[in-house]
Structure formats: C-alpha cells, structure tokens
C-alpha cells in the first residue's frame, strides 16, 4: 500500500498543509511540529513527491544555462530573455558561467547531470568538451556546435557578415577589413567571416582579416586594433562584435582618424544596452528574443520526448541598425 | 534497520555505482537496469541521500540570486562575481530576475522556499514584499533594506555622493545638479543623494534634485534629461548611475553643450564594461568584487548557523575613477 501525505498528517496529528510545509521546508513551524512530522514520515516510510517524481523520471522544472559570461551585454540580455520566458513556463534557471574555462564547464555539466535539471541551454565558447557527446539530458545550443544531435539556434551569421560588407561597399569603402575573434571552430559564428569574404569576392576586392582574440583584455585588444589601423589605410571595418567596434572607434579617435569621414565602422550584436548607450554605432542586430523563444521551444520538445527529431541548425534573420558610423 | 545503497545494489544485482547513477540520473544506463534498480528501491523502501539529507535539514548547495535585471552591467557583473565565487565553494546559483515585478519576485521567493535553496542573496528594487519579513531561509541583501534582521552589504553611498559633489566643486562648478532615481525607500542607495546634499550644504550652494525614474525607457529618460538641461543652466551633474550619465552626455551633445568645458558630468557604478567602453566618463566605482565576497561570507555564516549575529549594515569604500567628463 502506498503511504499518502494524509496518512502522515493523521499519524502526526497535524494538517496535510503542515506536513507539506515540513517536507518543503516552508512557512512557520515549531521544532516540535517538525519533529512530529519527521517521526511520522520515518515510521510510515513515506516518500514525498519530490523523490517519487524523480524516480518516475518526472520534471524538476530546472534548466541549466551555460554561457561564457554575463560581462558581455549580448549574453546578459540573452540569459535575461531566456530566464523571463522560462519563468512563464514554470521553470527556474541555474546560471553557469563557463568563463573560458573548460574545467569549470565540465564540472558544471557533471553537477547539472547529478542534480537532474530537465535540460540545458548552452552557448559556451569552450571547445572540445567531450561530455556533450554522451550527455543524457536534453541540450540545445546557441550559435555553437557542441556535438552531433544537439540542435543549434543562430542568428543568420553569413547574411550578417554579407550585409555588413555590403553596407560598407555601398558607403564607397574600398579597403574593408574584418576584425574577428580567433575562434577556429566550425561553429556558426564563423559564418560572419564567410559572409564578409563572399561579398568581398563578389566585389573583386582584397579582404583584410584581423584576428583579435576574444580572450584578450580591452587594453590588449586596443593595441591590436591600433596596429591594424596604423599598418593598413583601411576605410571600412566590420567588427564581429559591438565591443570590438567600440574599441575601434576609441583607437581611431586617438589616431585622429575621423569616423565616418575617413573610416566607417560596423559592429555586431545590437543589444539594447549598446544601442541605447552608443546610438551612433551602426550594427548588425541579432534577434535575441526570437532566439530565446526558439531555444526554449526546442528544449521543451526534447524534454517531452527525448527522441524528438529536430533539425541540426535553425537560422533566424538578422537586421542592420543604421547609426552614423557607417 | 536502515536500508543502505549497497542493499539496493545487492537486491538489484548491480554495483553500488549503478544504483547511484540511477538515483542521480547520470551516466549511461539501459532501461532494463533502471527498471531493476527502481524495483529494488521500491521493494526495500530505500530513501536515497538527497531525501535523507533534506529531511535532516542538510545543504542543497544551491543559492538563489534575486536581482532586478541582467540588462544593467552593474547587476550582470555583480551576479557574475557572485556566481564565480560561489562555484569555488561548491554552490550553484539559481538566477531570479525580479524585473520590477513584485508578483514575479514573490513567486520566486515561494519557489526558492519550496525547493529549499540553502540561502538567498537579494538586491531587488521591489519594495514592500512582506515575504522577506518571515522568510525561513538565510538571506543577505545588497544595498536594499528588505526586512529587520537581514544584513545589508553596500558600497559607501553617502561617501560616493559626497565625493562626486566634491569633485564637481573642485572643478569650479557652481550650479551642480543630481540626476537620481525616483526610489523613495529607506535603502542605502538613497545615501548617494544625502551625500550630495550634505556637500552642497557645506558649500552653501543650492542643490538641484532631478528625479529620473529608473523604470523609464532610455527615450523617456532622455526627454527628462533634455528638459533639465534646458530649464537650468547647470555646469555640473552627478548622475547616480552610469547609464543616466551616458544619456546625459548624449543629450548635452544634441543641445550643443560642450563637456567638460561648459558642463561636467560624473556617473556612478564604474563597471568594467562601462569603464572600457566609455573611458572618458568620470565615475564613482563600486567595489563589486568585495561586495560579492562579503555577501557570500555573511550568507555562509547564516547557513552554518541560523542564529548567527550579524550587523545590520556593512559599508565598503568606493573609489573615484577620473575620466575627462569631470
């Protein structure tokens, strides 16, 4: 016979609500009441729902969010959007900043697995984490290839790179460079470079690709940018993130290069914070809210049905936001 | 007799590791193995540690972080700092954006209570949430009064306001205004205004206090700022957050007011992101990392001992970061 909550309540001489409170450690309870209820639970060998649920493989209503950092407004806004939409569906989120640290990311995956979140949404930069290959839980990825079978949601990176180059060409630029991270993975993000290269080829112009490590501090990035600006007489620069674009504007100003007269600059990401703080910056805006909605929809499908067939890649349209820098 | 994990393993004919994996839903398991182990658990009425632990009131190694938003770099950086330091102590964090939404914050408090996190670190803006009054879990607060007995960690807001006014005075400003949020609580944040007012009084100068709602969009804030700049010939402005300072610089530029020649501006918060993106901005930097360290230290004390005596308020020193706007 299955022992019920009401049996515990009867044995302990308290209400069912009180038993529930003891089990869930919620509300005002005297130590005497807690002791009585725990004694009854022990004597009846009662298994509360939380355990029953997990033994039946039911949901914990927790989702792990694995992203590199909150210091980059793009990730902060994506995480906030995910958190808001997941909350509406009754999920809470465990925030995991992988921080360019493979070991931390691995440790988090282990912890999330052991604590049985219902699923994971990951947008980490760390490559070569085998744990993703065989992970038992449903995972969806933002903009990164993690493992075969893990669907990826991305803004249209190729189109974004193409559109940025196109815009600079229409502005009359001839020496157009790209400042991009030193990521060599086969992740969709790299398509920004490919879109740029494709448009440059169409225009029969020489591409200038500068790798600026995303792991560098602002100061080191600034030095790399300064060097690029000094060695080549560039008249257009496409930066594959807004922060690099902001640093480029700073370095141009230091060197007395006038924007947009002598140099045009386009960024990438277009977060609300950057658009409001730097309205002058022309940038390719990612569809943050749409990405969040789709990531959650796909994850929920996989939570409902582990074997749910999904595409490898879902690409959402990007948008050019015109400021005055290009 | 207490049923042990090894008893379950013996009955199911599998290793103890396999039983642990089934209970924690981790690793590679066939459905057959899962069924066998669950049958044995049921027959022996075995209570895994997770339940045993929570019945004994032991730790879940989860901490809830309740902050208004991740869209403001200050909160994003504080949350990242908290997450990093808590991870080092073996804690995972549940991220709760209260989003200027009392009902969401209440709902989160109920969920956190029911899921038994070990404690909560809150820096929410929503006022008058009675749930904090009687909450069973250890809570520490950043910069906000939540309830009697909940310790607050703050940067030195009074000194910050005083120092900002002082700096503008030393720059030769005579008509110095403060642009501050419309928060009327008795939270430490308001001490920024008091520090400014105190210094103005010392200098026998008339203070100009403009309330700019933190709930406004950038556009609405911009209109308020424009109006303030047009109606008063201010020569110094202390903004109690950096984003308002950035908007003020934008509005001044639109109106043809030269900074710093005609108008000096000082912000507040001094996050890494803003300092790197707007190196020109003079700002009062909060000690984000020190606040995170102290918040965690106090929370851990309360987790260890619910009755631990703590101060009502812990105030950490702030620092002026000189740019070129003041």
């Amino acid at each position: 016979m299955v022992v019920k909550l009401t049996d515990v309540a009867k044995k302990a001489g308290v209400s069912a609500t009180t038993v529930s409170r003891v089990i869930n450690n919620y509300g005002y309870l005297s130590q005497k009441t807690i002791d009585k209820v725990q004694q009854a639970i022990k004597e009846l060998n009662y298994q509360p729902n939380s355990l029953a649920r997990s033994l039946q493989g039911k949901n914990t209503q927790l989702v792990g969010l694995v992203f590199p950092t909150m210091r980059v407004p793009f990730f902060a806004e994506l995480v906030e959007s995910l958190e808001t939409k997941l909350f509406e569906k009754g999920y809470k989120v465990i925030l995991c900043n992988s921080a360019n640290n493979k070991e931390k990311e691995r440790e988090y995956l282990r912890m999330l697995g052991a604590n049985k979140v219902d699923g994971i949404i990951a947008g980490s930069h760390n490559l070569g984490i085998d744990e993703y290959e065989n992970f038992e839980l449903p995972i969806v990825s933002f903009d990164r290839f993690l493992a075969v079978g893990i669907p990826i949601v991305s803004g249209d990176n190729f189109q974004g790179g193409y559109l940025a180059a196109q815009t600079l060409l229409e502005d009359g630029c001839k020496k157009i460079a790209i400042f991009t991270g030193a990521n060599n993975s086969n992740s969709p993000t790299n398509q920004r470079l490919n879109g740029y290269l494709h448009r440059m080829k169409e225009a029969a112009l020489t591409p200038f690709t500068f790798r600026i490590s995303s792991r560098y501090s602002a100061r080191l990035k600034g030095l790399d940018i300064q060097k690029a600006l000094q060695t080549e007489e560039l008249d257009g620069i496409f930066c594959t993130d807004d922060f690099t674009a902001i640093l480029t504007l700073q370095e141009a100003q230091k060197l007395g290069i006038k924007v947009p007269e002598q140099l045009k600059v386009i960024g990438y990401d277009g977060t609300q914070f950057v658009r409001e703080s730097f309205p002058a910056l022309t940038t390719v805006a990612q569809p943050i809210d749409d990405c969040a909605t789709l990531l959650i929809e796909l994850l929920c499908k996989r939570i409902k049905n582990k074997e749910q067939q999904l595409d490898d890649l879902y690409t959402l349209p990007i948008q050019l936001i015109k400021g005055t820098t290009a």
Side-chain angles (χ1 to χ4, degrees), chain A residues 62-71 75-76 78-80 82-83 92-98 104 108 111-112 117 121:
Chain A
L62 282 171
V63 169
L65 303 184
V66 183
F67 286 92
T69 176
M70 293 298 97
R71 288 174 193 269
F75 290 118
L78 180 57
V79 162
E80 170 138 334
L82 288 167
E83 183 268 354
K92 290 194 296 302
V93 303
I94 293 188
L95 177 68
C96 314
N97 294 318
S98 50
K104 191 177 176 193
Y108 257 132
M111 288 163 90
L112 292 175
V117 293
I121 299 175

Side-chain angles (χ1 to χ4, degrees), chain A residues 27-323:
Chain A
Y28 328 123
L29 297 159
S30 68
Q31 193 55 48
K32 206 178 142 192
T33 305
I34 294 169
D35 291 346
K36 267 197 301 188
V37 172
Q38 288 192 348
Q39 185 61 29
I41 287 172
K42 214 171 155 188
E43 281 177 32
L44 295 172
N45 228 331
Y46 171 67
Q47 298 196 351
N49 281 335
S50 62
L51 176 66
R53 273 195 329 189
S54 65
L55 284 180
Q56 290 160 26
K58 290 240 178 95
N59 297 348
T60 60
Q61 298 301 113
L62 282 171
V63 169
L65 303 184
V66 183
F67 286 92
T69 176
M70 293 298 97
R71 288 174 193 269
V72 172
F74 178 77
F75 290 118
E77 294 191 9
L78 180 57
V79 162
E80 170 138 334
S81 185
L82 288 167
E83 183 268 354
T84 303
K85 292 174 201 293
L86 283 165
F87 179 81
E88 286 165 10
K89 289 179 175 286
Y91 285 99
K92 290 194 296 302
V93 303
I94 293 188
L95 177 68
C96 314
N97 294 318
S98 50
N100 289 337
N101 180 338
K102 271 192 199 188
E103 275 317 307
K104 191 177 176 193
E105 187 163 346
R106 284 211 173 93
E107 181 64 22
Y108 257 132
L109 289 175
R110 277 193 289 267
M111 288 163 90
L112 292 175
N115 281 271
K116 279 178 291 184
V117 293
D118 291 344
I120 291 175
I121 299 175
S124 169
H125 283 244
N126 297 320
L127 302 171
I129 295 195
D130 299 337
E131 277 76 356
Y132 285 114
E133 297 282 349
N134 302 301
F135 212 64
E136 291 283 311
L137 291 172
I139 307 183
V140 297
S141 167
F142 174 75
D143 219 18
R144 291 288 177 281
F145 175 80
L146 295 178
V148 173
I150 297 180
I152 306 174
V153 173
S154 276
D156 191 337
N157 291 294
F158 185 90
Q159 184 57 25
Y162 188 93
L163 186 59
Q166 165 99 348
T167 304
L168 293 168
L169 284 167
E170 285 171 0
D171 279 352
C173 299
K174 301 281 176 216
K175 283 193 89 171
I176 302 173
I178 184 168
F179 289 180
T180 189
N183 190 326
N184 292 309
S185 74
N186 58 348
S187 284
T189 321
N190 290 4
Q191 293 297 324
R192 293 177 203 171
L193 172 59
N194 293 341
Y196 155 82
L197 291 174
H198 191 82
R199 189 64 190 87
M200 294 302 283
K201 202 174 175 185
E202 282 182 358
L205 286 176
T206 311
F208 298 86
T209 304
F210 292 90
R211 295 283 181 177
I212 309 221
S213 173
S214 60
R215 298 184 184 215
Y216 273 12
S217 69
R219 206 164 301 181
L220 284 176
K221 278 185 186 167
L223 285 177
D224 271 9
I225 292 167
Q226 202 182 57
K227 212 170 142 192
L229 291 176
Q230 281 173 325
T231 51
E232 301 283 351
E233 275 188 48
L234 305 168
D235 56 8
I237 299 172
F238 164 41
C239 301
T240 58
D241 68 282
D242 285 336
F243 185 57
T244 302
I246 290 165
L247 293 179
T248 301
L249 294 173
Q250 285 172 18
E251 294 302 326
Q253 196 183 14
K254 280 186 209 162
L255 294 171
I257 301 169
K258 285 208 165 70
V259 176
E261 295 81 357
Q262 294 166 274
L263 175 69
K264 291 172 178 65
V265 177
I266 296 187
Y268 208 101
D269 285 342
T271 54
Q272 187 188 325
F273 184 80
V274 168
R275 283 160 66 178
E276 289 177 351
S277 303
F278 289 92
L281 183 66
T282 296
T283 184
V284 179
Q286 298 215 59
I288 297 182
D289 262 11
D290 289 345
C291 286
T293 301
L294 186 54
L295 284 163
I296 292 168
E297 196 185 303
L298 299 176
L299 187 70
C300 286
K301 280 184 180 170
R302 277 274 164 93
I303 289 173
K304 226 171 147 185
N305 171 16
K306 244 180 162 178
E307 309 302 323
Q308 171 76 46
Q309 274 299 311
L310 296 173
D311 293 348
D312 291 339
L313 179 63
Y314 295 80
T315 305
L316 296 172
I318 46 74
Q319 193 192 353
L320 187 82
I321 307 289
K322 277 292 273 183

